[in-house]
Amino acid sequence: MMDLLNILLSESFWAASLRIATPLIFGVLGALICERSGVLNLGIEGIFVVGAMCGWMTVWLGSGLWGGVLVAACAGALFGLLHAILTVPLGLSQHVSGLGITLFATSVSYFTYRTALPNVSSPPRIEPFQALDIPVLSDLPFLGPVLFQQTALTWLALLMVLLVWYVLQRTALGVAIKAVGDNPDSVDAQGLSVYGLRIGAIVAGSALMALGGAFLTMSAFDAFFFGMVNGRGWVCIALVIFASWRPGKALFGALLFGAFDALQVRLQTEMGALVPGQIFLMAPYILSIIALVIAARSADYPRALLTPWFKGQR
Amino acid sequence: MAENTVLKLSGLSKRFGSVVANDDVSLTLVKGEVLALLGENGAGKTTLMNMLFGHYLPDAGTVEVADANGVLHALPLGHPQAALAAGIGMVHQHFALAENINALDNITLGSEPLRSLKRNRAAARAKIDGIIERSGLKAPLDVPVGQLSVGERQRVEILKALYRDARILVLDEPTAVLTPQEADTLFSNIRSMITDGLSVIFISHKLREVLEFSDRIAVLRHGRKVGEMATTDADEAKIARMMVGADTPKVARQEMSPGAPVLSLKNVSVSGRSQRETLDNVSLTVNANEILGVAGISGNGQAGLAQLIAGLVQPSSGTIAVDDEDIPKPTPSRMVQAGVGRIPEDRHHEGIVGAMSVAENMVIERLDDPDIQSLGLLRREAIADNAVKLAQAYDVRGPGVDASARLLSGGNIQKLILARVFERAPRLILANQPTRGLDMGAAATVGRRLLEARARGAGIVLISEDLDEILGLADRIAVIRDGHLTEAPTNNREQIGLMMAGAAA
């Protein structure tokens, strides 16, 4: 019991939680934007892989780190555009299209990686983002190590939470996105383009998802591995429901999951002799499912989620 | 006259596949007038207005709209944005409101540039407040629209149009969801907007309100305009004749003395998932040879009552008896066996299985009948014979009894359901919104069949939001409000309306 308390009070635990949460924050925000406009994007898992691969490879080919981030976002946006074309004007099943995008994007990423590096056994490394050492603030007790020694991408993720919240809550664009996810007819009747709003939301959301992937290869690690995304995309899909489609709650959900994950790593080392390690690996997912079951009962789904809309059909 | 014309539709035509929805329709609207557009379901009223508003692109014809100076300009067709800019506002029958944002946001949606990072809500609010003051259309602006009443939502819809400086307002069946009192308020609001320079087209098939509130009447039938007249020259019979193309047979209803109780509910409560499915301590009796009309605004427990009688929900307390026999745990099959025939509200989804054939749908409630199956195998010939016989007797028209039931029109689907239900000679008939969305001809058939069943000795529960239908058919009337059922007088429209609104007991 004392051990648990020690873990929860340690700076490294909270720093790790925030670090683990960062890709999830990008992913949840991306999925949230798509779903707020009424379209589920199950391509998220594959878009994570694309973002991880493109970001890493751009830097490996000689670009700067931010160049890699930009390329990752653009690649994600491109796959988002494909999903948008299939599901919005063509109105195909969002589930089928999304899963297809995940399979396609994952395979294309692996293929590209293997084609570029046919004969390497250990993945080549890049110089990743370093902790942003902010003078004075970094020296604060507790908060300093937790908050002010994260990389620039973590700060970008937190900034994105604010940005997405501001757009949804305070701008005409945000109102239109929320409206098109609730009742596309309301948007159409006011002379706005349902297709334009939805396609735009999916493209922007997918770019954010890809940043989550880029964080893995450019900040958390320094190389690209097969299977490194490891279901993070699916976790984001669940977290959106947990967050009730709100950016603030999305941040909270991602942090909660990050904390579960950081905790299981530490408990594993503390108590590994008593309990099989797999139990700890499962723990964050089991806890997420429990949290989701509780939260989803009162979830307020965007009413038009999953429903295609066609111009001229009322 | 000519310089007062604010809207001129010329030769508009529209086909959907092989169906002609509008054929060469021309119409003019004069400044400050209320034009009623009448016609049966499927006559092409809504299609015509959707072309005017740019939702549909017409196959032929032109629309001209007057600008603020009264000069007519051709309107680019197929673009809602252009119609909005030209000063046309449309209030759809199914409200085009996003329920997760408030009224203010719904009203201003699309009028602010999407790129701007800040909104000027104060200016928008001031403008809306001004419109509310002039028109009398009161609605809360800061609550999510999902929490507003139907009447409030409709006012938000009209405010939306006025906020865009509409000079021409199109209302598609505006009173379909309102109580008589709310409808009166709406029309008096419209009157005060007219004096502000607005012109109005409203679609309706309630003859009473058309005669009371319009200046001029245009009638559509089968997509063509078949007549136009000043309201002062019109009367109900004349309009009805024009709409249907012939005199409608008035449903003849003879007095009957009620027989033994067929259905009795004693202190029944149902705890539903929402208000529309909840009943609170309801007692009622329906006798043989009697139609009980249940009036009420939609969502006040009608769904709960219907589900209860259909056996779809269990009462949380109280007893339900059919033919004096208690049914302790009602299920759909037990209710059917007890002699209940059901005409469900949502005929497309609950009344038929769309993917199955018309013939199969006609026997779907008696699959255990040895005439229909033996040893678990369906007797296809018997099913087909039965279908041909019933289709003829009940005038079910369509592509044939082997075709999928979903290919039938709404009126014919309802006739299919009537055939299935009435052939079993049920003791009790639950008719939930049986004529909603049907044209006058099909609605008259439903009414006639219900009266025939009554004459045969059945008891009937007629749930309807159309007060005229209830007043025309029911022997007794009860009003449902917030899950409570209250007996009402059978001849006092005013008082029933007040009871529906909850204003008086």
Side-chain angles (χ1 to χ4, degrees):
Chain A
M1 210 55 229
M2 211 47 222
D3 294 340
L4 188 64
L5 207 62
N6 278 337
I7 291 172
L8 289 181
L9 287 177
S10 72
E11 294 160 349
S12 70
F13 167 74
W14 289 104
S17 300
L18 185 55
R19 194 170 59 240
I20 295 167
T22 301
L24 302 178
I25 296 172
F26 282 119
V28 184
L29 288 179
L32 183 150
I33 295 173
C34 295
E35 290 180 28
R36 271 292 177 137
S37 82
V39 180
L40 177 71
N41 188 353
L42 292 182
I44 183 169
E45 181 80 7
I47 291 171
F48 259 75
V49 179
V50 166
M53 209 285 295
C54 290
W56 170 84
M57 185 167 275
T58 309
V59 177
W60 182 70
L61 288 173
S63 155
L65 285 166
W66 289 106
V69 170
L70 189 69
V71 170
C74 290
L78 211 59
F79 280 94
L81 183 65
L82 178 60
H83 183 59
I85 290 169
L86 293 175
T87 56
V88 178
L90 296 180
L92 301 180
S93 157
Q94 296 174 10
H95 290 104
V96 174
S97 167
L99 291 174
I101 299 271
T102 282
L103 293 174
F104 177 49
T106 307
S107 312
V108 164
S109 305
Y110 292 172
F111 178 75
T112 312
Y113 178 80
R114 264 293 163 235
T115 315
L117 299 155
N119 299 315
V120 288
S121 49
S122 68
R125 293 163 184 280
I126 58 168
E127 189 60 35
F129 278 101
Q130 299 300 316
L132 220 52
D133 201 10
I134 301 170
V136 188
L137 288 179
S138 313
D139 299 331
L140 287 175
F142 197 77
L143 267 189
V146 172
L147 269 184
F148 300 107
Q149 290 182 12
Q150 302 285 351
T151 68
L153 284 184
T154 299
W155 284 99
L156 184 64
L158 295 174
L159 196 69
M160 282 297 166
V161 176
L162 273 181
L163 183 71
V164 172
W165 175 84
Y166 183 85
V167 168
L168 284 178
Q169 229 41 50
R170 290 277 186 272
T171 68
L173 178 65
V175 168
I177 290 174
K178 286 191 281 187
V180 80
D182 184 83
N183 181 4
D185 287 338
S186 70
V187 170
D188 183 54
Q190 294 282 62
L192 295 175
S193 164
V194 173
Y195 292 168
L197 281 165
R198 285 192 165 170
I199 292 173
I202 298 166
V203 167
S206 302
L208 275 181
M209 295 171 182
L211 291 185
F215 174 86
L216 295 176
T217 49
M218 301 171 67
S219 185
F221 305 99
D222 53 8
F224 178 76
F225 313 97
F226 291 136
M228 74 185 304
V229 172
N230 194 20
R232 284 184 175 83
W234 307 138
V235 170
C236 293
I237 293 292
L239 283 175
V240 181
I241 303 170
F242 175 80
S244 216
W245 295 269
R246 291 170 194 282
K249 282 188 176 177
L251 173 64
F252 173 71
L255 285 174
L256 197 65
F257 188 90
F260 285 155
D261 207 17
L263 188 63
Q264 67 91 5
V265 174
R266 283 159 177 74
L267 287 179
Q268 218 175 329
T269 47
E270 299 268 341
M271 305 165 61
L274 298 172
V275 189
Q278 284 80 359
I279 298 287
F280 294 107
L281 285 175
M282 279 193 292
Y285 298 95
I286 293 172
L287 288 173
S288 308
I289 290 172
I290 295 171
L292 188 59
V293 167
I294 297 167
R297 292 170 66 91
S298 58
D300 206 1
Y301 282 78
R303 279 194 309 148
L305 187 62
L306 298 178
T307 317
W309 181 91
F310 299 103
K311 179 133 189 82
Q313 285 182 16
R314 300 189 63 82
Chain B
M1 166 88 191
E3 70 242 40
N4 272 334
T5 303
V6 288
L7 177 70
K8 194 169 169 207
L9 310 180
S10 319
L12 283 176
S13 298
K14 176 77 183 171
R15 309 169 152 269
F16 294 104
S18 62
V19 181
V20 180
N22 279 134
D23 184 13
D24 194 22
V25 179
S26 300
L27 210 58
T28 55
L29 184 67
V30 178
K31 184 166 184 172
E33 109 179 307
V34 177
L35 171 69
L37 194 56
L38 268 167
E40 294 199 283
N41 279 93
K45 309 176 299 274
T46 302
T47 305
L48 185 67
M49 292 301 109
N50 275 335
M51 285 195 282
L52 167 63
F53 195 66
H55 285 309
Y56 297 150
L57 188 64
D59 298 329
T62 58
V63 176
E64 288 167 89
V65 187
D67 61 19
N69 303 320
V71 185
L72 287 174
H73 298 283
L75 178 75
L77 297 168
H79 299 285
Q81 191 81 67
L84 284 168
I88 301 172
M90 181 153 178
V91 176
H92 298 277
Q93 188 181 359
H94 304 289
F95 299 149
L97 294 170
E99 295 182 8
N100 59 342
I101 57 178
N102 65 26
L104 182 91
D105 288 345
N106 265 292
I107 292 167
T108 57
L109 188 64
S111 59
E112 296 169 285
L114 292 182
R115 279 191 189 80
S116 80
L117 282 175
K118 286 194 75 172
R119 300 175 59 198
N120 196 344
R121 293 164 76 121
R125 187 180 298 272
K127 182 171 176 185
I128 297 169
D129 283 341
I131 297 169
I132 292 178
E133 189 147 329
R134 283 197 304 279
S135 64
L137 299 158
K138 284 202 175 58
L141 294 179
D142 297 306
V143 185
V145 166
Q147 293 173 18
L148 302 188
S149 72
V150 178
E152 287 169 332
R153 287 181 204 205
Q154 186 173 55
R155 293 196 279 279
V156 174
E157 279 279 15
I158 300 174
L159 287 172
K160 250 165 74 174
L162 298 180
Y163 184 78
R164 293 293 192 92
D165 302 319
R167 293 185 298 276
I168 299 164
L169 189 63
V170 179
L171 300 158
D172 191 356
E173 299 209 25
T175 61
V177 290
L178 303 181
T179 63
Q181 281 79 11
E182 279 179 315
D184 289 351
T185 313
L186 171 69
F187 283 112
S188 77
N189 289 338
I190 288 176
R191 277 287 156 211
S192 68
M193 290 185 276
I194 293 280
T195 54
D196 255 13
L198 197 75
S199 313
V200 174
I201 301 179
F202 81 96
I203 297 177
S204 179
H205 39 215
K206 294 186 185 165
L207 300 185
R208 191 180 63 88
E209 67 190 28
V210 166
L211 287 170
E212 205 166 324
F213 295 109
S214 71
D215 300 318
R216 203 152 56 87
I217 296 171
V219 181
L220 293 185
R221 171 158 34 101
H222 300 316
R224 307 182 68 104
K225 191 173 82 175
V226 291
E228 207 174 340
M229 68 194 108
T231 306
T232 44
D233 299 336
D235 61 57
E236 284 204 19
K238 198 168 164 186
I239 306 173
R241 202 155 49 233
M242 220 179 249
M243 281 166 73
V244 192
D247 287 300
T248 36
K250 197 82 180 153
V251 182
R253 180 175 165 278
Q254 68 225 107
E255 290 303 320
M256 278 185 168
S257 50
V262 181
L263 171 76
S264 38
L265 304 180
K266 286 207 185 75
N267 308 105
V268 174
S269 295
V270 171
S271 41
R273 279 164 300 184
S274 63
Q275 196 185 33
R276 53 190 293 277
E277 296 178 350
T278 301
L279 291 184
D280 187 7
N281 198 13
V282 166
S283 297
L284 84 93
T285 310
V286 183
N287 301 309
N289 305 104
E290 182 180 65
I291 297 180
L292 172 75
V294 178
I297 307 165
S298 123
N300 270 287
Q302 289 96 329
L305 183 62
Q307 286 171 357
L308 179 75
I309 299 174
L312 291 165
V313 291
Q314 309 276 334
S316 52
S317 66
T319 57
I320 174 167
V322 177
D323 267 343
D324 269 340
E325 210 164 303
D326 268 12
I327 301 187
K329 281 213 163 113
T331 62
S333 64
R334 213 165 282 169
M335 294 308 273
V336 170
Q337 274 160 19
V340 178
R342 301 156 302 164
I343 303 171
E345 176 178 15
D346 184 347
R347 63 184 75 102
H348 295 267
H349 294 109
E350 288 173 17
I352 58 164
V353 182
M356 283 166 54
S357 73
V358 173
E360 288 166 334
N361 271 288
M362 280 175 170
V363 296
I364 206 164
E365 277 190 340
R366 52 193 194 103
L367 290 175
D368 53 352
D369 185 336
D371 288 346
I372 300 304
Q373 58 95 19
S374 58
L375 303 171
L377 295 176
L378 291 177
R379 303 173 59 171
R380 314 245 34 139
E381 240 166 75
I383 293 175
D385 289 349
N386 171 70
V388 171
K389 194 185 78 194
L390 289 186
Q392 191 148 28
Y394 287 83
D395 191 29
V396 182
R397 292 182 213 182
V401 295
D402 295 324
S404 299
R406 89 169 96 78
L407 298 176
L408 299 183
S409 70
N412 281 300
I413 288 177
Q414 194 68 324
K415 287 187 212 161
L416 188 169
I417 295 169
L418 292 180
R420 181 176 71 209
V421 170
F422 289 148
E423 272 310 286
R424 308 181 75 244
R427 295 285 299 131
L428 172 73
I429 294 167
L430 164 69
N432 193 359
Q433 314 288 356
T435 61
R436 177 193 279 172
L438 299 187
D439 61 44
M440 287 167 100
T445 308
V446 173
R448 189 165 51 78
R449 293 279 178 189
L450 287 176
L451 288 171
E452 277 173 19
R454 162 179 175 262
R456 176 176 59 70
I460 294 162
V461 179
L462 170 65
I463 302 175
S464 177
E465 282 154 28
D466 182 351
L467 201 46
D468 291 318
E469 174 176 50
I470 287 185
L471 289 168
L473 289 174
D475 299 293
R476 284 189 296 132
I477 295 177
V479 170
I480 192 162
R481 164 89 196 164
D482 280 342
H484 294 282
L485 207 61
T486 321
E487 193 96 7
T490 53
N491 51 8
N492 191 334
R493 166 188 292 279
E494 185 75 9
Q495 196 186 336
I496 296 173
L498 288 171
M499 288 170 72
M500 284 162 67

